[in-house]
Amino acid sequence: MEKKSIDQLKKICSQVRRDCLRMVHAVQSGHPGAALGLTEYFVALYFQEMEHNSNFNMDGQGEDLFFLSNGHVSALWYSVLARTGYFSTEELKTFRKISSRLQGHPATEEGLPGVRIASGSLGQGLSVAIGAAQTKKLNRDNHLVYVMMGDGEQQEGQVWEAAMYAAHHKVDNLIAAIDYNGQQIDGPTEKVMDLKNLRAKYEAFGWDVVEIRNGNEMEEVLKGLEKAKSLTGKGKPVMILLYTEMGYGVDFMVGTHKWHGVAPNDEQLENALGQLKETLGDY
Amino acid sequence: MEKILDLKYTYTEKKDTRSGFGDGLLEAGRNNPNVVGLCADLIGSLKMGAFQKEFPERFFQTGIAEANMIGLAAGMTIGGKIPFTGTFANFSTGRVYDQIRQSIAYSEKNVKICASHAGLTLGEDGATHQILEDVGMMKMLPNMTVIVPCDYNQTKAATLALVDHHGPAYLRFGRPNWPIFTPSDQKFEIGKAIKMIEGKDVSIFATGHLVWEAVVAEAMLREEGISAEVINIHTIKPLDEAAILESVGKTGCAVSAEEHQVNGGLGDSIAQVLVRNMPSPLEYIGVNDSFGESGTPTQLLEKYGLNAENIVKAAKKAISRK
């Protein structure tokens, strides 16, 4: 993939945020908060850092793979997949509607290009990604496997089963990331169920940990991903703690859990789009 | 009892069905380099040691973490591996139902969930480990194939057949030594019932260990002048509806026999087929809405009404309702 300038990537982020808001608005359901917070990371991965093929093949041999464990960020993933050519941006109009491939949470059943596993029930994606990474090793395929999780998702026990396993089996072709926005449905994570020191926890489990302190700053995200890549192949799985702000880019949505699963109304959409002027052309 | 009966099938050896799985997996590993094994700290119990020894690079010890094992297996299919997971039936199903549902069944992943120590015949470990609901849970999942073989030879053949079958599958087997009465060179056709004994008065549809009990029951019924047809339903889903209707079309009544809850088991599936096509008397042999307990396999089958004597009674009752 040709290298893009920071400005180009930022422009793409603006468009992707517009897509997310319009998709959620059109069907008056979905999860805008985390989608807006993770936009820089997804754009950095799909437009710059990952070696991937939009001519989709389920087995994905000879390319990097991405798994989304916190499936409710689906609008963001669909926008990025469409805008990297996995399917037409026109299809974004069908998000969450009847007979669509763009299910509320990602699914493989209708063969949506780019999606390799269903997700939404939290805690499962890390295990799946580790399995895929081990198959890459068996196939002598030197590409990487990426997986995205939520921070609230760290409360699921299966995540820690997987964390223990990946270190024990030296799954070092894996870059996991946690969307560290400190928010979950019932409130701030530290009130709902405090995660305490995630860095210390993953290090104690035997992982290398990279922190991206501002996950909504493109330069920092790119630098963090390069750092994470440089740590692969050294006998340990790699975890990125990605500090983001939920709802980033829209002033009335930022920094609160209130927009986790709520759609903007007409007026709010207009206001939000007014704050995201850069566009590559809405679908 | 068995000695004086004129059985249509005999045996010279007893063996556990889980060994059929272990031996089948080893052969599958030799035949196909994409076969991989995963086990959650029960290598000996699942008889996966030989596979592990011969293919260490393709074997994955997961520790006591079954949810992770199911997710790993789903992920390993991406890139062409054919994972066989191994643990007790209880931990293969109820404990990890949501993981199977989302990451395997809904995602249509080519994972073979292999489950030992199913049913009452697990014996002395008691009800915590004697799962009697697993077939129901698995057959409810769209995309899932459910197989319950009857002896060592059939379990081995089923294991090998699963390598060439693309899609999620649940393979249920057990711990006790059990008569080996089916041929070692059998061809295992998923979804195709096997008519073991031809008869005309009543159809006995049995699965798993109870196929042998049905064979014994047939001889007991024959002594009383009753002609029973015995059909081995090794695949509960997809169900061989044609074989069921063909048999009951002739006999006019049926008995289902399984080491499972009556609720949600093979009998329920057969009842659906009959009600839709050919309403006929059906009697159920299975566990009636209770948990099991500690005991020997034979004691448990007797106490919970799952042995040949009970099949005989059920057959007579079904005939009387015609």
Side-chain angles (χ1 to χ4, degrees):
Chain A
M1 192 163 290
E2 63 181 284
K3 260 231 170 319
K4 290 202 160 44
S5 71
I6 297 288
D7 273 356
Q8 282 173 310
L9 291 172
K10 284 183 175 169
K11 207 176 267 192
I12 295 166
C13 286
S14 174
Q15 180 62 58
V16 166
R17 286 195 166 94
R18 291 177 70 89
D19 288 348
C20 292
L21 290 164
R22 294 180 67 239
M23 287 161 77
V24 169
H25 170 262
V27 67
Q28 281 298 299
S29 81
H31 300 82
L36 296 180
L38 280 173
T39 300
E40 277 75 18
Y41 190 76
F42 273 60
V43 168
L45 273 182
Y46 272 87
F47 285 87
Q48 197 80 292
E49 297 292 334
M50 279 203 313
E51 226 177 278
H52 65 107
N53 185 358
S54 61
N55 186 9
F56 181 67
N57 173 288
M58 177 58 84
D59 278 336
Q61 299 204 44
E63 62 176 313
D64 296 336
L65 304 181
F66 174 79
F67 293 94
L68 179 65
S69 190
N70 48 334
H72 58 273
V73 194
S74 55
L76 169 61
W77 197 18
Y78 297 154
S79 164
V80 169
L81 287 172
R83 293 201 176 267
T84 45
Y86 281 81
F87 50 85
S88 146
T89 53
E90 277 299 292
E91 198 168 345
L92 297 176
K93 286 181 184 161
T94 70
F95 176 61
R96 282 183 167 244
K97 291 183 178 160
I98 192 80
S99 303
S100 170
R101 299 196 293 179
L102 275 55
Q103 291 292 298
H105 293 84
T108 59
E109 202 170 46
E110 301 304 325
L112 184 68
V115 179
R116 292 191 166 86
I117 196 93
S119 63
S121 174
L122 295 174
Q124 301 186 28
L126 184 58
S127 303
V128 173
I130 294 166
Q134 290 195 295
T135 283
K136 283 218 175 289
K137 282 181 182 264
L138 286 173
N139 290 341
R140 313 275 180 257
D141 176 349
N142 289 324
H143 287 78
L144 296 174
V145 175
Y146 293 84
V147 56
M148 182 83 234
M149 293 183 280
D151 52 0
E153 187 175 8
Q154 303 306 302
Q155 292 154 5
E156 291 281 6
Q158 185 181 348
V159 170
W160 300 99
E161 293 183 5
M164 198 184 292
Y165 178 95
H168 179 84
H169 286 274
K170 300 184 170 54
V171 183
D172 60 1
N173 54 343
L174 175 79
I175 298 179
I178 294 169
D179 180 14
Y180 211 171
N181 60 27
Q183 305 288 338
Q184 60 188 109
I185 293 179
D186 280 351
T189 50
E190 62 179 11
K191 288 213 173 125
V192 175
M193 184 55 61
D194 199 348
L195 305 169
K196 302 283 186 191
N197 190 338
L198 279 181
R199 179 180 191 120
K201 284 182 180 174
Y202 274 96
E203 282 176 347
F205 271 73
W207 289 55
D208 271 329
V209 177
V210 174
E211 294 195 47
I212 298 179
R213 298 299 305 193
N214 188 347
N216 296 116
E217 195 54 61
M218 184 55 81
E219 292 90 335
E220 219 181 299
V221 171
L222 294 173
K223 223 163 42 177
L225 276 166
E226 287 300 327
K227 175 85 197 293
K229 281 190 201 176
S230 75
L231 292 171
T232 60
K234 298 186 193 307
K236 287 182 175 186
V238 179
M239 177 61 71
I240 293 175
L241 293 182
L242 180 70
Y243 292 75
T244 67
E245 280 204 88
M246 218 171 177
Y248 186 86
V250 177
D251 58 9
F252 61 89
M253 289 184 168
V254 78
T256 164
H257 60 92
K258 295 202 176 89
W259 290 91
H260 167 83
V262 176
N265 61 29
D266 294 353
E267 203 180 309
Q268 289 162 334
L269 177 70
E270 205 183 324
N271 182 351
L273 294 180
Q275 300 175 38
L276 299 162
K277 289 210 167 60
E278 293 273 23
T279 169
L280 308 168
D282 288 332
Y283 62 85
Chain B
M1 178 74 76
E2 288 173 21
K3 292 248 161 36
I4 54 160
L5 283 169
D6 174 26
L7 296 171
K8 294 276 189 188
Y9 289 83
T10 53
Y11 65 92
T12 53
E13 195 189 354
K14 285 187 175 185
K15 221 170 180 177
D16 44 3
T17 50
R18 60 183 166 155
S19 286
F21 164 67
D23 292 347
L25 183 66
L26 178 62
E27 197 172 314
R30 288 172 180 163
N31 295 343
N32 188 323
N34 282 323
V35 169
V36 299
L38 299 92
C39 187
D41 196 33
L42 286 170
I43 295 168
S45 296
L46 267 287
K47 304 291 180 189
M48 294 173 90
F51 181 92
Q52 178 198 28
K53 195 165 170 225
E54 192 160 323
F55 306 106
E57 200 190 314
R58 285 153 57 191
F59 181 83
F60 302 91
Q61 169 63 266
T62 72
I64 310 166
E66 295 83 6
N68 184 45
M69 177 169 73
I70 293 297
L72 291 169
M76 284 177 187
T77 64
I78 298 164
K81 299 303 165 211
I82 308 169
F84 284 69
T85 66
T87 182
F88 290 162
N90 191 10
F91 315 138
S92 293
T93 56
R95 190 179 184 91
V96 293
Y97 197 65
D98 186 47
Q99 284 78 14
I100 294 174
R101 181 176 179 273
Q102 176 171 284
S103 293
I104 295 179
Y106 186 39
S107 297
E108 298 170 276
K109 293 301 179 223
N110 193 23
V111 174
K112 316 305 175 189
I113 301 159
C114 304
S116 186
H117 294 52
L120 292 173
T121 54
L122 156 70
E124 292 80 353
D125 277 347
T128 53
H129 288 51
Q130 288 161 344
I131 196 160
L132 297 164
E133 305 85 34
D134 54 327
V135 167
M137 283 189 276
M138 291 297 113
K139 81 175 189 184
M140 273 198 292
L141 288 171
N143 297 330
M144 186 64 72
T145 292
V146 179
I147 297 174
V148 186
C150 66
D151 68 357
Y152 168 91
N153 283 341
Q154 193 163 68
T155 308
K156 186 175 174 187
T159 305
L160 288 163
L162 280 175
V163 177
D164 300 318
H165 165 85
H166 191 86
Y170 179 62
L171 179 65
R172 180 200 218 223
F173 42 88
R175 178 171 185 259
N177 281 324
W178 212 248
I180 303 177
F181 59 103
T182 68
S184 61
D185 61 348
Q186 67 188 286
K187 185 163 182 268
F188 190 90
E189 281 186 77
I190 293 168
K192 189 101 182 82
I194 299 171
K195 192 186 289 180
M196 307 284 296
I197 300 169
E198 186 103 41
K200 58 182 177 46
D201 298 329
V202 57
S203 305
I204 303 172
F205 300 109
T207 192
H209 291 132
L210 293 204
V211 177
W212 175 253
E213 296 297 321
V215 165
V216 176
E218 184 276 336
M220 292 162 74
L221 287 162
R222 186 159 21 93
E223 287 199 333
E224 298 185 47
I226 297 169
S227 163
E229 181 147 295
V230 175
I231 296 188
N232 176 358
I233 308 278
H234 53 65
T235 307
I236 291 173
K237 188 185 170 188
L239 191 62
D240 190 345
E241 298 192 6
I244 290 166
L245 292 172
E246 195 262 332
S247 180
V248 179
K250 178 176 63 179
T251 63
C253 67
V255 173
S256 62
E258 60 193 311
E259 205 184 334
H260 189 272
Q261 298 288 353
V262 167
N263 285 331
L266 168 66
D268 264 6
S269 293
I270 291 171
Q272 278 190 36
V273 175
L274 293 180
V275 165
R276 284 203 188 110
N277 299 280
M278 190 187 287
S280 321
L282 170 66
E283 291 295 323
Y284 299 88
I285 292 293
V287 175
N288 288 298
D289 205 22
S290 76
F291 290 103
E293 65 180 80
S294 293
T296 67
T298 309
Q299 287 171 334
L300 287 160
L301 291 183
E302 189 186 342
K303 178 163 178 179
Y304 287 81
L306 269 60
N307 60 11
E309 286 77 7
N310 290 281
I311 295 174
V312 167
K313 279 187 214 153
K316 289 180 185 167
K317 190 167 174 200
I319 292 167
S320 75
R321 290 173 55 205
K322 277 204 256 189

